[in-house]
Amino acid sequence: MDAVSSKRILIVEDEKDVVDLLTLNLRKAGGFTIATASDGAAGLTKARGEKPDFIILDLMLPKMPGLEVCKLLKSDPATRHIPILMLTARAEEIDRIVGLEFGADDYVTKPFSPREVILRVKAILRRGAADETADRLSAGPITIDPSRHEVLVDGKPVDLTSLEFKLLRTLMQRRGRVQERDRLLNEVWGYESVIDTRTVDTHVRRLREKLGKAGDIVETVRGFGYRFREK
Ligand code: CA
């Protein structure tokens, strides 16, 4: 890949070993330009200033925790489109869940295999590229525009996290068909094994709340999962 089409990745991590491992493997994979920041505050400044194509964000950081960085970037219209892959330690399960709710796109648990990280990065970037050319979807009062990551209910924008957006889009694309919880976990969250299907319930509840009166278009199919109502 040439310099023009290479993806700019910002790695925010204070552990030098981890930065070196990621840098080495991203270079080997090719197609990436790498910038680094060794604390949360510096990471936030670089992300805002340089608007990288992708951020790998560790949660345990000096000066500002990774979760805070994630929250600030994902709540700012200027940076919210930048995908974030979180690095978490095994003990940080709660942080991981909170991170996904703040809009992080995915996570890997330390110690990770660099190959796994690169696969995730590529998958997320591919998904983003597919969104750019995806058509608008419309059903009842709800319209979503994948290229702009925008959701409208009766013409008014609704603020969704990237997970809620993916969940809504998946349900809309399969309108009228029941989607099982573990299938949603697999496709929306990217979990390979079922961790806890209640995660899906929590997110559906929040999604419905945000959609307001239009929320009941997402139906619960008791014992199975969820369905975007046909009519
Ligand atoms: Ca760290």
Side-chain angles (χ1 to χ4, degrees), residues 102-123:
F102 283 164
D105 294 77
D106 206 349
Y107 67 88
V108 284
T109 308
K110 289 178 180 176
F112 52 78
S113 93
R115 189 172 161 270
E116 173 73 11
V117 173
I118 286 161
L119 287 176
R120 299 283 182 105
V121 171
K122 286 184 172 171

Side-chain angles (χ1 to χ4, degrees), residues 13-15 58 60-61 110:
E13 164 68 284
D14 57 317
E15 287 161 73
D58 188 45
M60 296 282 279
L61 290 168
K110 289 178 180 176

Side-chain angles (χ1 to χ4, degrees), residues 84-190:
I84 296 179
L85 177 70
M86 296 186 300
L87 302 180
T88 73
R90 226 170 262 288
E92 296 167 335
E93 171 124 19
I94 297 298
D95 288 348
R96 191 171 76 200
I97 291 167
V98 173
L100 292 172
E101 285 175 4
F102 283 164
D105 294 77
D106 206 349
Y107 67 88
V108 284
T109 308
K110 289 178 180 176
F112 52 78
S113 93
R115 189 172 161 270
E116 173 73 11
V117 173
I118 286 161
L119 287 176
R120 299 283 182 105
V121 171
K122 286 184 172 171
I124 295 169
L125 286 170
R126 250 196 324 272
R127 216 151 66 197
D131 281 350
E132 274 167 32
T133 55
D135 290 333
R136 287 166 75 103
L137 280 174
S138 229
I142 302 172
T143 302
I144 69 174
D145 185 344
S147 65
R148 303 170 65 185
H149 240 254
E150 187 179 67
V151 178
L152 302 171
V153 175
D154 288 325
K156 292 199 192 90
V158 176
D159 200 17
L160 299 185
T161 66
S162 80
L163 259 174
E164 289 160 353
F165 183 87
K166 267 179 246 166
L167 179 61
L168 179 64
R169 186 184 55 190
T170 303
L171 289 166
M172 272 178 95
Q173 282 167 338
R174 299 167 189 170
R175 216 172 146 187
R177 284 181 283 158
V178 183
Q179 302 302 310
E180 290 171 8
R181 286 179 178 79
D182 47 3
R183 185 163 174 209
L184 287 169
L185 269 178
N186 188 284
E187 292 180 15
V188 177
W189 279 256

